[in-house]
Amino acid sequence: MEPILLYGFPAGSSMGLVAAFERVGQPYRLCRVDMLAEMKNDAYARINGRQETPVLITDEGKVLTETMAIAAWLEARDSKRRISFEQRTPEADRMHQLMAFVNTGFTAAFSPLWVALEMASPDPVLQATLRDFGRKAVTERHDRLEAMITDTDFLVGDRLTLADTTLIGVARWAEYHEAIDGAAYPKLAALRRRIEADPAVRYALGVEDGERPVGSGACLGHVPLAEVIEGFAA
């Protein structure tokens, strides 16, 4: 069977993984998950007990969760090195370093902002505190990332890699939460423009928006979430 990637919308971090699968070009399928309506329930928890996206149903029918684990699974199958590098090279090490930075501290910095936004019983004082703390954390992480960006076209070299796809689904959260002054980070802004211009990323953004963009042909269509749960849930 083809692997099935469960991706979340709106503005899910998993959009980058859709782009990565598309760039690799091997057959895959997608499953669209409404994170506001379809994820926080017992049925979805049978696929991922943490009730998050992304989730990968591998070609062996196994459930794999967590962005870094799915990226590693895909990297191991990227035989033509379309989104990665040969193992034990400086480029591979830098790619993994940047992926880890983005997936840990950079992504986690937004957590207080999401908590403030999604509070079931809004508390204006607590929300203000969370937003202030979150914006300071996001600013600090952006400062660090800006310093890590070199003069290459992408995060590692002159082509799109897993480092870029890991970043692009999360970086847009800064505008969503009005957390930073984007003009203060010109290297990141230019990098994001180059990443978002990549055909695989444009395809992933179109898919996330509910469109039917023309891609490489590697995506063999969508599988309904109910069908994935019925076929692969624990």
Side-chain angles (χ1 to χ4, degrees):
M1 58 170 280
E2 300 82 26
I4 305 169
L5 178 68
L6 282 69
Y7 69 95
F9 78 96
S13 62
S14 48
M15 182 274 287
L17 281 172
V18 176
F21 270 84
E22 180 66 13
R23 185 63 175 262
V24 167
Q26 299 171 9
Y28 70 100
R29 297 184 186 273
L30 292 170
C31 177
R32 187 172 173 84
V33 180
D34 185 335
M35 295 186 294
L36 303 178
E38 297 179 312
M39 200 167 66
K40 302 299 184 181
N41 55 60
D42 291 342
Y44 187 83
R46 293 172 56 211
I47 284 287
N48 184 353
R50 289 170 297 291
Q51 297 176 310
E52 299 171 347
T53 58
V55 175
L56 177 67
I57 310 300
T58 73
D59 48 359
E60 296 178 341
K62 306 296 184 182
V63 176
L64 183 63
T65 67
E66 313 308 326
T67 295
M68 292 294 281
I70 296 170
W73 183 94
L74 189 56
E75 180 184 1
R77 290 155 180 79
D78 182 24
S79 57
K80 295 184 178 179
R81 297 300 175 202
R82 292 179 173 174
I83 55 166
S84 62
F85 302 95
E86 292 296 329
Q87 294 296 303
R88 298 185 296 279
T89 61
E91 293 82 3
D93 289 343
R94 177 163 169 78
M95 184 185 77
H96 294 144
Q97 174 192 0
L98 287 160
M99 290 169 65
F101 172 81
V102 170
N103 194 60
T104 54
F106 189 85
T107 299
F110 289 93
S111 295
L113 300 174
W114 287 117
V115 172
L117 181 69
E118 297 171 356
M119 289 181 67
S121 300
D123 179 332
V125 175
L126 178 57
Q127 286 173 306
T129 300
L130 287 167
R131 288 180 178 128
D132 181 63
F133 180 81
R135 286 176 179 135
K136 289 177 180 177
V138 168
T139 296
E140 190 270 341
R141 292 285 101 177
H142 274 71
D143 290 344
R144 291 182 180 272
L145 180 58
E146 183 79 0
M148 296 169 76
I149 297 172
T150 64
D151 60 357
T152 56
D153 286 345
F154 293 90
L155 279 174
V156 188
D158 60 358
R159 60 185 175 88
L160 187 85
T161 70
L162 283 166
D164 304 294
T165 60
T166 302
L167 171 65
I168 199 59
V170 178
R172 59 202 175 145
W173 293 352
E175 288 86 31
Y176 189 87
H177 290 287
E178 299 180 344
I180 61 163
D181 174 9
Y185 304 98
K187 291 193 291 185
L188 176 58
L191 172 66
R192 287 181 57 187
R193 287 193 294 270
R194 290 191 290 272
I195 295 173
E196 289 169 356
D198 183 89
V201 176
R202 292 202 306 270
Y203 175 84
L205 286 165
V207 166
E208 182 185 62
D209 288 341
E211 302 169 1
R212 294 186 176 181
V214 176
S216 66
C219 182
L220 302 183
H222 277 70
V223 181
L225 177 58
E227 185 176 320
V228 172
I229 292 173
E230 180 179 356
F232 302 102

